[in-house]
Every structure is written in structure tokens, then in C-alpha cells.
Amino acid sequence: MNKTESLNLDKAKVDEVRRLLNDNDNIVITCHLTPDGDAIGSTLALCHLLRSMGKKAKVVTPDVPPKNLYGVPGAKEIMPFTRFETQVKSLFAEAGLICCLDFNAAKRVDRLAPLLVDADCPKILIDHHLFPENFADVVISHPESSSTCFLLYQVIVAMGWADRISRRVAECIYTGMMTDTGNFTYNSNDPELYMVIADLVKRGIDKDRIYSMVCNSNSVSRLQLNGYAVSEKLRVFPEHRAALISLTQDELNRYHYERGDTESLVNVPLSVPDMVYSVFLREEAAYIKVSCRSRGEFPVNKMCEEHFNGGGHKNAAGGEFFGTMDQAIAKFESILDQYDKYLPNANNNKDGKVS
Ligand code: 5GP
Ligand code: MN
């Protein structure tokens, strides 16, 4: 194994996590709002593993998981807070240990945050987002890991529990490794990823079935909404190497929009080699949701922090705009110039050093 390319886990923290998991029989596992494949995969993987040890374990999500993840083993037993408020409150009150996976700040669990923060049992955080907040007793944070599932796999192995990675656990882990790397198309050059995949396949997963279940989940109206967005609503700003797609509530309603239907739309313009960043504006009841993606050094998080009440990562960020769609579009057009200095080959010395 190439030591420089795999995660360098802190042995003392791994020992502490093993002790806490061993010592507690009643464990609540949770993840971020609008859970994705990595959030659902990592929480369910840990849940199955703990149950195989005879423990009572339960996955609680802030809101309902997306339909394309219902096929992940155990997903139908998840308790979303939005549907099971009373039961979730008692689960938190009775828990001996809370495991937080795939989020870095208490506010990421939305209305569950007070339950999490006020719970007087120990808490473990295993995550790969930047800058973890200090709300847990043990924090295993590895932002260099492409997914929490990949990190969790390594933690399980480091605890000496590799034998407990059943096919079900392996299926859950693979789901998050796959979704958080766009099916191994980004953040996916660590050779160790493929060693882990090989191990998961040996444990009986059908990786092609998992891909199909998670990714081939279009409805006809969703397909048509995305087609309409690209064909009729895509605007390109070639001199800024930027793309903009906007969808109003009227347009969303026309295609019977359901949450998640425009999930990967913002990525589509980046399939054009010259495009450096892409912005998607979706009208919600109270504001315009802003979603951005970029490649290379272009910092869309800066744009979201400075103009759209948001933030995120350099290549994936989002925010909210309070106003009409036309105002949001006008705002975007008015700020394009400010970010040209971050484009590849831009004269970065013009405005001083680019940070
Ligand atoms: P998405 O475009 O998938 O909604 O969000 C991409 C990333 O941007 C998220 O993982 C999150 O880090 C960040 N993000 C999205 N929306 C917001 C927001 O409203 N506020 C902040 N601070 N970050 C956001
Ligand atoms: Mn993740």
C-alpha cells in the first residue's frame, strides 16, 4: 500500500471510537439534511455493522432521503425527523452514543441540531468536509477523503473489524464511494479507492446493479425538464467561460418538478471543455436557490459567499438570492467581470495576488 495516498488515521482516535462503539448498545446514527448517497451509504453501513454485533442501532435523517436511494439496504427503515418527530426525539433522549456521519457542523442537521447538541451522551463524528466544528467528543475528519464511506471503510478496518463487512455493509459503502466521486470521475485518483472496490466486490456486491439503481432513476417528466432547461434556458457567456441555467416555479410546475429532479443539471454545462463554471438558479417559494460548479482553481464558493448568502467548496457551492428571478440573473451578469481574474490563463497580477 502506498502510504502517501491512503488516509493517515489517528490511531488513538480510532481506538476511542472502537471503545465507544463497543461500550454502547443503543446507538443513533445521523447525517446531513437532504442526504445524498454518501450520507445514506455511510450511516446504513455503520448501522448494519453495529446490528451484526447485537446492538440496537437506528439511522435518523433530518428529512426524507431521495427515492433513488431507497434500494440501499435498510433505507426504508430510516427515520426522517420530518416524518417521525416524536419517535426521533425519544431515540435521541435514550441514545447511549450518537454517531454523526458525512457532515461537519451541527446546523447541517437542520431541525435535529438542538437534539444533537443537547444530548448528554458521547458523540462521534466521522466526516470528510472541510473545517469540522467541535460538537463531538471524537472527531475523525479527513477532507482529503473523496467520501465518508471510503473513510468509514478505513476506520472499520483500522478497528480490526474487517470481518464484519458483510455484503450489505459493502453495498452501502460502495454507494457513497460511487456517488461522491461522480461514479469515479472526480476526486478519484487515489489508487487505494480501487483496492477498496476490489475488496467490496470480493464481498459480493454487484457494483453494476448499484450504479443502475442509483443513477438510472429518471422519470419521463424529469428527463423532459432537464432537456427543456438545456435546450431553452442555457445561456453561455463565452468571454467569461460561464454558463447559466435558470428555472422559474412556472417552468418547474410545467414538468411536475419534485425535489431532486434538477440534482445534476448544474454539472451539464461543464461537459463542454471550454466552460470553467456553471450556475443554476431555481426559484423556490421564498428565494432563488443558487447552485454552482466549477473546474480547476475557479472558486465558486467565493462568488456564493460574496453575492449569494452562501458558501461551500471551491468547485461546488451554493447560496440563496432574495428577490425575483430577473433580479438574480441581473445580479449574476453584473458580477461576471469581477471573477475573470480566476479564469485559467487570466492575468492574475492585474489585481494583485489571487488568494
Ligand atoms: P448544491 O449545489 O449541491 O446544492 O450544493 C453544493 C455545495 O454547496 C454543498 O455541498 C454545500 O457545501 C454548499 N452549499 C449549497 N447551498 C448552500 C447555502 O445555501 N449556503 C452555504 N453556506 N453553502 C451551500
Ligand atoms: Mn460526502
Side-chain angles (χ1 to χ4, degrees), residues 299-311 318 331 335 338-339 341-342 355:
V300 277
N301 52 349
K302 229 176 175 55
M303 182 178 275
C304 290
E305 280 160 23
E306 292 170 353
H307 298 286
F308 295 112
N309 304 295
K331 172 85 179 177
I335 62 172
Q338 290 177 35
Y339 295 90
K341 63 186 174 191
Y342 298 107
S355 55

Side-chain angles (χ1 to χ4, degrees), residues 107-108 129 263 266 289-293 308-313 316-320:
K107 69 170 194 300
R108 293 287 290 133
H129 293 91
E263 178 80 37
V266 66
K289 180 68 200 166
V290 181
S291 187
C292 305
R293 297 291 184 273
F308 295 112
N309 304 295
H313 312 271
E320 290 159 2

Side-chain angles (χ1 to χ4, degrees), residues 84-159:
F84 299 96
E85 193 164 327
T86 317
Q87 292 96 319
V88 168
K89 279 182 176 159
S90 27
L91 281 170
F92 271 82
E94 292 156 15
L97 177 67
I98 300 173
C99 297
C100 305
L101 299 183
D102 201 37
F103 66 98
N104 58 352
K107 69 170 194 300
R108 293 287 290 133
V109 295
D110 198 51
R111 286 169 55 225
L112 274 179
L115 294 184
L116 175 63
V117 173
D118 297 341
D120 54 12
C121 65
K123 291 151 211 168
I124 292 172
L125 173 66
I126 299 176
D127 177 48
H128 71 137
H129 293 91
L130 289 165
F131 316 123
E133 264 180 17
N134 213 3
F135 63 91
D137 300 81
V138 191
V139 175
I140 297 188
S141 165
H142 284 265
E144 77 280 20
S145 177
S146 53
S147 62
T148 296
C149 279
F150 180 57
L151 170 59
L152 178 66
Y153 173 94
Q154 302 213 9
V155 173
I156 293 170
V157 172
M159 290 192 296

